[in-house]
Amino acid sequence: MFPAHFLDIYVKFYYQPSLNCSIYAQQQLYPQSEGEMNLEEYFKRIGFHGLYDKPDLATLKLIHKQHVMSVPFENLSIHCGERITMDLDLIFNKIVRSSRGGWCLENNFLFGWVLREMGYDTTTLGSRVFNSTSNEFCPGETHLVNKVVIDGKAYVADVSFGVSSQVWEPLELVSGKDQPQAAGVFRLIDEGDMWVLEKTGRRAEVLNPDFAKSSLVDRKETKKIYGFTLVPRKADHFFETNHKLQTDPTSLFTNKSICSLQTPTGFRALVGWTYSEVIYKPEQGVDVLDMRDVTDDEIELILREKFNVKLQNKLQSVNKTACYTI
């Protein structure tokens, strides 16, 4: 007999018998026996050792950067037969205590909790990712971000988009302002019905000639990333999206296994069997991409050594045709 609370979770998160791992089983993978969620454990996970007695912009910038340098953007649970939930306790145990990463519905959901615990004025927002193939925004709000207000100024905090579209620090919510960061120049544009995040990057220099024409290489200098409104969203707004993204056969995340982590000089990414190390060289106007294919036997070691990810179940790497660039 399942515990009583399991029935509530069953209904809320649309458990599917076809998945190898139910939410109940995930509670065994990422047990809560180590105690309640707490900031000290989270800070240790991201390597933050500063003071947090004042919810100011400097501290927000620091923990934002530490998070993206420490916690990967990844969807590997889908390809390990695990169920991704929006249960905050499970997310905390997975990311903080089990040396894993997550996608935006985990990372940014957890980050929002951290910010509120620290005393920041934080609001959850939903955003629509831009599809460069169809040249339009996806119809649903599949990406979760946080708006943070400090001393009357609003900022967008997003620790989980990954690869070259990942901001290292929060962006001030001001229309048309160039906001240079390591990956390029980001700007937020108020288009009336929504705010749009766009980025102007640099030319990609691919070292391995075998990948000169790879579909993973982003060759657009300026691109839209996602659009959002300022309408506050609660967690249940994303429940159906969370289910669909990991079960729909047309979803990017069912078609590709993805893991990316920011580094002090750029980022690393593992998409299917393609491993990439990217170095930003703004002084030369290029991003240098070192790309190579790896074998199944190499993946576990790469995940552990390059991303600090330790899987509890066997990963079935996937790299089917889908629109995705690093």
Side-chain angles (χ1 to χ4, degrees), residues 152-208:
K153 292 184 177 181
Y155 301 86
V156 175
D158 183 355
V159 296
S160 195
F161 203 88
V163 293
S164 64
S165 295
Q166 180 62 58
V167 294
W168 288 7
E169 296 181 347
L171 298 169
E172 186 177 359
L173 191 60
V174 175
S175 184
K177 178 181 179 181
D178 284 355
Q179 303 189 55
Q181 296 200 12
V185 178
F186 293 89
R187 64 188 66 85
L188 293 163
I189 309 293
D190 184 357
E191 296 193 347
D193 58 337
M194 72 164 65
W195 284 80
V196 174
L197 172 63
E198 67 176 31
K199 174 200 150 187
T200 298
R202 296 173 290 268
R203 178 175 60 85
E205 181 179 300
V206 182
L207 298 182
N208 187 340

Side-chain angles (χ1 to χ4, degrees), residues 103-319:
W103 60 12
C104 71
L105 299 178
E106 298 170 286
N107 268 313
N108 279 329
F109 191 30
L110 173 65
F111 197 64
W113 171 83
V114 169
L115 296 178
R116 293 182 184 93
E117 287 291 298
M118 294 178 69
Y120 286 97
D121 178 357
T122 306
T123 303
T124 301
L125 304 177
S127 63
R128 297 163 55 194
V129 176
F130 189 76
N131 186 321
S132 59
T133 300
S134 61
N135 199 38
E136 61 184 358
F137 292 96
C138 296
E141 293 185 342
T142 59
H143 186 59
L144 183 158
V145 298
N146 290 292
K147 183 186 75 172
V148 186
V149 178
I150 303 172
D151 297 331
K153 292 184 177 181
Y155 301 86
V156 175
D158 183 355
V159 296
S160 195
F161 203 88
V163 293
S164 64
S165 295
Q166 180 62 58
V167 294
W168 288 7
E169 296 181 347
L171 298 169
E172 186 177 359
L173 191 60
V174 175
S175 184
K177 178 181 179 181
D178 284 355
Q179 303 189 55
Q181 296 200 12
V185 178
F186 293 89
R187 64 188 66 85
L188 293 163
I189 309 293
D190 184 357
E191 296 193 347
D193 58 337
M194 72 164 65
W195 284 80
V196 174
L197 172 63
E198 67 176 31
K199 174 200 150 187
T200 298
R202 296 173 290 268
R203 178 175 60 85
E205 181 179 300
V206 182
L207 298 182
N208 187 340
D210 292 342
F211 290 87
K213 297 182 179 180
S214 171
S215 62
L216 287 173
V217 178
D218 190 351
R219 295 176 174 83
K220 291 187 178 180
E221 182 177 342
T222 297
K223 65 177 182 179
K224 295 179 180 179
I225 300 175
Y226 54 74
F228 59 92
T229 71
L230 302 182
V231 178
R233 300 301 190 191
K234 294 185 177 180
D236 60 6
H237 177 74
F238 300 97
F239 286 173
E240 185 175 353
T241 292
N242 183 65
H243 164 70
K244 185 176 180 180
L245 289 177
Q246 59 188 308
T247 57
D248 188 337
T250 66
S251 165
L252 163 69
F253 298 108
T254 60
N255 282 285
K256 290 186 184 294
S257 52
I258 301 169
C259 185
S260 78
L261 181 66
Q262 305 298 300
T263 70
T265 56
F267 67 90
R268 300 174 182 137
L270 178 66
V271 181
W273 295 269
T274 301
Y275 174 68
S276 305
E277 292 192 355
V278 179
I279 297 178
Y280 296 146
K281 293 191 174 183
E283 68 283 354
Q284 299 177 23
V286 299
D287 294 341
V288 179
L289 283 66
D290 188 2
M291 308 172 70
R292 64 184 176 93
D293 284 333
V294 298
T295 65
D296 283 322
D297 292 338
E298 295 176 273
I299 285 179
E300 182 179 349
L301 182 63
I302 287 174
L303 287 172
R304 188 169 64 248
E305 292 189 346
K306 300 297 185 179
F307 301 92
N308 193 30
V309 166
K310 301 169 185 174
L311 299 178
Q312 298 191 32
N313 288 320
K314 178 67 176 176
L315 173 66
Q316 300 294 327
S317 296
V318 178
N319 192 16

